[in-house]
Amino acid sequence: MKPMTEQEIRAAFVNCTKGETKRLSVPRDLADRPWGDLDYLGWRDPQAPDRAYLVTVLDGGPIALALRCPGPASWQARRSMCSMCLTAHTGGVSLMVAPKAGKARQQGNSVGAYICSDLACSLYVRGKKDAGAGSRPQESLTLEEKIERTVANVAAFLAKVTA
């Protein structure tokens, strides 16, 4: 992924109003992010722990989603698997819900997926971040194929939000 500016990120949101986009918290350390290792940029809002954001490039342009994540529940102490990168975590996967874009958002429709709570799927797939023993299933896929699968899973989630 190529580095993005705060303005590019704010302009890419598809499932929130312009006012919400102006108020949301964008990371201050954009220049320090490992852009070459990212399939998407994801972060949690430090002022609102129930909010997260995801930005990626799809069809040549940036697209961003605002996500809601409920507080941790007792069942999250169990091992769960991220639906994007297929990394298993104990308490490190959250149900993230995105309001749908357009008219469906106005009607209150949303789409959810189980995603790594720290939104670091790209780093888990590449082995740059470790979720502990047994967190990654043994596979015969190459690293490039695992990256392609993660990108396809993110794109499929985005397609559900924008449909």
Side-chain angles (χ1 to χ4, degrees), residues 6 9-10 13 20-28 43-48 51-53:
E6 180 178 340
I9 291 170
R10 288 188 190 281
F13 279 90
E20 290 169 331
T21 301
K22 286 180 184 177
R23 290 186 302 272
L24 64 83
S25 172
V26 175
R28 297 184 191 275
W43 72 97
R44 301 290 290 254
D45 188 331
Q47 280 82 33
R51 293 181 194 201
Y53 306 98

Side-chain angles (χ1 to χ4, degrees), residues 3-70:
M4 298 177 81
T5 66
E6 180 178 340
Q7 292 77 21
E8 289 173 312
I9 291 170
R10 288 188 190 281
F13 279 90
V14 296
N15 69 337
C16 52
T17 66
K18 287 184 181 185
E20 290 169 331
T21 301
K22 286 180 184 177
R23 290 186 302 272
L24 64 83
S25 172
V26 175
R28 297 184 191 275
D29 64 344
L30 289 176
D32 299 331
R33 296 287 171 135
W35 292 99
D37 290 326
L38 297 180
D39 304 311
Y40 69 84
L41 172 65
W43 72 97
R44 301 290 290 254
D45 188 331
Q47 280 82 33
D50 64 331
R51 293 181 194 201
Y53 306 98
L54 184 150
V55 184
T56 192
V57 176
L58 194 62
D59 298 328
I63 184 169
L65 298 178
L67 305 165
R68 293 284 181 161
C69 1

Side-chain angles (χ1 to χ4, degrees), residues 79-113:
R79 195 164 198 77
S80 302
M81 184 175 283
C82 173
S83 62
M84 300 297 159
C85 66
L86 304 185
T87 300
H89 299 269
T90 300
V93 174
S94 297
L95 173 61
M96 301 218 181
V97 179
K100 290 191 83 165
K103 283 202 182 276
R105 180 185 189 275
Q106 295 169 348
Q107 296 169 346
N109 295 331
S110 60
V111 178

